[in-house]
Amino acid sequence: MLSDKKNLDEMDESEREFTTTYGSRYFTKSVPKYEMPKTGMPARAAYQIIHDELNLDGNPALNLASFVTTWMEPEADLLIMESIGKNYVDNDEYPQTEVIQDRVVNMLARLFNAPSDCKSVGSATIGSSESIMLGLLAHKWTWKKRREAEGKSVDKPNIVMGADVHTVWEKFARYFDVELKLIPLLEDIYTITAEDVIAEIDENTIAVGAVVGTTFTGQMDPIEEINAALLEIKKTKGWDIPIHVDGASGGFVLPFLIPDLQWDFRLEQVRSINVSGHKYGLVYPGIGWLIFKDKSDLPEELIFNINYLGGLMPNYSLNFSKGSSTIIAQYYNFIRLGIEGYTDIMKNMQENARYLASKLEATGKFKIINKRVIFPLVTVELQNCEFNAFHLSEKLRQKGWIVPAYTLPPNANEIAVLRMVVKESFSKDMVEMLFDDIMKSIEKLNQSSEERKEIIDKKENPTLLY
């Protein structure tokens, strides 16, 4: 997020400064908000100011907008705090952390079914956004090198994807000067098709983007069909176009719930996959992972061999310094839970999501967009209501629930939906509480102002003391 410099002369004192709190227990003078104070304060006072202000944030347990993990086991918390001060890039100083990242990359390459004869490579990233940027950048360079070897122009690269992608895909196209071929969505069809892809690709296409677990509706693109279509194109036209799979939301779900589904490195044209450890990888933010099917998918020119931290370190990243704690936390989850543990958690979240979907659909007020509910979220469109999704979202926020309302991408942008992400900490009892509050909110929204006033007037006030 971008932040602007404030003009302090145009602000009231209450906007510029924290007023004194708790009497004179901690401090007697106000504290500036937008410039460093001249003197410090007791640690407890600084803590109390920030702690009290953060009470205005939403409750993570009631936040159904975010895919991000908000709870880990106490043992994971301990490991995180023990490694919170370790900078991952200092491999020479913290060599075992690098060893642990190597183990996680190996586990992920095998989880995504990399063929045994492939020399897969990968790295931890800050999140899937960095992973996607790095994956697509590698494909751009591979395309460029191939075109140069053929004596062809390299000035018009393009990338093909559906409008169901995360914003970072569009960022990549703009930041790295690649033409964006964005396939629009259609009403009731909120993913792309293989036919859509074939209609857009050409010899300048550096990659096709496909998503498992779309941000907007929790669905997935037909990757197996797209792969088959690209293989036919490679055979007939000689265009070797890779697929980068955005598994930010679904990459930690499909291997455990539908292990036989082919969306990963079992498909020939799938050459890179990103996944968010801080989503269904069950780790706090921010940790992502980028896995290439083979070393040949990552051009050597993009790897920087750095030695000024004490040892030789091959680096492929958009940033440099990076915390070690979430890498350690990811490894903790892998060895703590194993395949069976992850499978049990994913099944439980999926069952709770399906239970919520069934209750909402039974009311006749909601149309379920992701009907199969493969991924642990529910996306709904309102029907038979006089109000819209934004009204219901706002009413639920009054009860503490954070349920986002938004319109879908073009050409389905006339459709407004609500999305509820079910996380590990969201129990069946919480499904019941959410559903009850949804129905109470609908009842309130259906009332006229006269009806609301009449209900209030009829109520006795039990808080008055005589």
Side-chain angles (χ1 to χ4, degrees), residues 39-238:
T39 60
M41 65 180 71
R44 184 67 198 184
Y47 167 83
Q48 201 67 52
I49 286 177
I50 300 170
H51 171 82
D52 291 349
E53 193 167 11
L54 289 177
N55 284 330
L56 297 174
D57 276 348
N59 183 345
L62 304 182
N63 181 5
L64 305 184
S66 173
F67 289 81
V68 174
T69 296
T70 55
W71 176 87
M72 291 191 76
E73 291 179 320
E75 292 79 5
D77 291 343
L78 283 173
L79 286 169
I80 287 170
M81 291 311 300
E82 289 168 5
S83 55
I84 199 75
K86 295 180 180 180
N87 188 354
Y88 172 72
V89 296
D90 291 339
N91 291 166
D92 196 55
E93 186 175 354
Y94 309 119
Q96 199 57 32
T97 300
E98 181 185 13
V99 170
I100 287 175
Q101 183 201 256
D102 290 345
R103 293 174 186 170
V104 174
V105 168
N106 270 265
M107 291 178 181
L108 286 172
R110 290 176 171 85
L111 186 67
F112 298 152
N113 296 290
S116 58
D117 60 342
C118 286
K119 297 180 180 179
S120 300
V121 294
S123 178
T125 61
I126 298 300
S128 275
S129 290
E130 185 187 10
S131 296
I132 290 168
M133 293 263 192
L134 292 171
L136 300 181
L137 183 60
H139 293 313
K140 180 183 178 182
W141 272 71
T142 298
W143 169 84
K144 177 184 175 183
K145 289 174 65 178
R146 184 173 63 244
R147 295 279 293 179
E148 287 175 339
E150 296 170 351
K152 296 179 180 178
S153 170
V154 296
D155 61 348
K156 293 184 179 180
N158 68 67
I159 185 166
V160 175
M161 66 193 79
D164 56 341
V165 296
H166 189 275
T167 306
V168 68
W169 288 79
E170 299 176 66
K171 283 185 180 179
F172 167 81
R174 189 173 302 176
Y175 291 175
F176 291 97
D177 197 21
V178 176
E179 180 190 355
L180 177 65
K181 291 192 171 184
L182 199 64
I183 299 168
L185 305 183
L186 299 174
E187 188 173 342
D188 290 328
I189 305 174
Y190 305 123
T191 58
I192 58 176
T193 67
E195 291 74 20
D196 293 331
V197 170
I198 297 305
E200 293 293 337
I201 60 172
D202 57 34
E203 63 180 354
N204 291 315
T205 302
I206 65 169
V208 170
V211 188
V212 290
T214 63
T215 300
F216 291 99
T217 61
Q219 296 172 293
M220 62 179 294
D221 294 328
I223 299 174
E224 194 168 5
E225 289 86 345
I226 294 171
N227 177 78
L230 291 177
L231 284 175
E232 182 62 24
I233 288 292
K234 182 161 67 171
K235 178 181 177 182
T236 57
K237 296 187 177 182

Side-chain angles (χ1 to χ4, degrees), residues 13-19 31-36 53:
E13 183 178 351
S14 61
E15 296 177 291
R16 294 195 311 267
E17 300 176 341
F18 291 103
T19 56
V31 179
K33 293 180 180 177
Y34 298 105
E35 53 187 342
M36 290 182 66
E53 193 167 11

